[in-house]
Amino acid sequence: MPDQQAAIHFAQNDPIDTLRGNEPLVIAQLGQSLDGRIATINGHSKYINHKEGLTHLHRLRANVDAVVVGVGTVNDDDPRLTVRLCDGDSPKRVILDPHGRVFQSAQIFSDDGPEVIIITRNDMDHPMYGRAKILALDHQNGRISPENIIKCLAENGMARLLIEGGARTVSVFLNNDALDRLHLIVAPLILGSGQPGLALSCIKTVQEGLQPKVGLYELGHDILYDCNFKA
């Protein structure tokens, strides 16, 4: 049996270094426990990962044109999606909301941060029209494809995207081969039950699994897996 440990090494450079530049990029970040959980069964997730993971997320935001989240993340977590824990400009903020479910009281609409953009269906009269920029796209059964989302945002000057959450949104992009990179931050914690992270289409054999080129980085107490799907 080959020595699998020989293929595992920790990179010494900054994990952000390979992301700098102006070329198109679609990257996602997901934080989880050792057993692949992003929250307990009742949704408690603060904080699975340590403060270095949150700082890393802010550094990712500072290196993209837009941060993209599903409407569930906005309604459940009420995030600001701005850069506060590092130097750099805050990106535009994009909400995927094909059914007009976003809470109008969300702080993202009331702060003085960057522009808020809502991507919705082209047959939807979105309730936040006038309070956010609305981009209406074709859909199939209420679902807008990641390919169309990426294309639309690029046409509007946002070619570098951070797919921040939630786990379902990240999974949809990965399942549709729409991610260049995934930063998976794993904490030394076992929950034993709870909400899983990635949920992709079923496969029959191990060989069918995704095999990205992976770099490992120490991130405080956590380990960052830099998964490159386009290497």
Side-chain angles (χ1 to χ4, degrees), residues 61-172:
R61 290 176 184 172
N63 279 276
V64 297
D65 302 317
V67 54
V68 180
V69 295
V71 62
T73 294
V74 176
N75 288 348
D76 294 341
D77 300 337
D78 200 17
R80 293 166 61 185
L81 304 179
T82 54
V83 175
R84 303 182 302 279
L85 300 181
C86 67
D87 294 332
D89 297 328
S90 294
K92 295 181 179 180
R93 300 170 291 179
V94 179
I95 304 171
L96 307 181
D97 187 21
H99 303 290
R101 297 192 300 112
V102 70
F103 293 162
Q104 298 187 31
S105 59
Q107 66 175 341
I108 196 172
F109 299 116
S110 59
D111 67 17
D112 58 354
E115 182 179 28
V116 177
I117 299 164
I118 294 176
I119 291 183
T120 192
R121 306 185 333 244
N122 58 357
D123 57 356
M124 175 73 183
D125 185 13
H126 200 281
M128 293 304 292
Y129 181 81
R131 293 187 60 189
K133 181 176 181 178
I134 305 296
L135 298 177
L137 304 183
D138 292 336
H139 66 97
Q140 285 191 328
N141 300 320
R143 296 182 178 182
I144 303 171
S145 72
E147 180 183 15
N148 283 347
I149 293 168
I150 293 169
K151 179 181 178 182
C152 174
L153 292 176
E155 290 172 348
N156 282 271
M158 293 164 277
R160 294 175 60 83
L161 308 176
L162 169 60
I163 313 302
E164 185 167 323
R168 181 180 179 278
T169 298
V170 172
S171 296
V172 169

Side-chain angles (χ1 to χ4, degrees), residues 16 18 34 38 42 49 53 56 66 78 84 131-132 138 141-142 159 162 168 187 201 204:
I16 297 293
T18 59
L34 281 171
I38 61 168
N42 65 354
N49 298 108
H56 181 74
D78 200 17
R84 303 182 302 279
R131 293 187 60 189
D138 292 336
N141 300 320
L162 169 60
R168 181 180 179 278
S201 297
K204 295 181 179 180

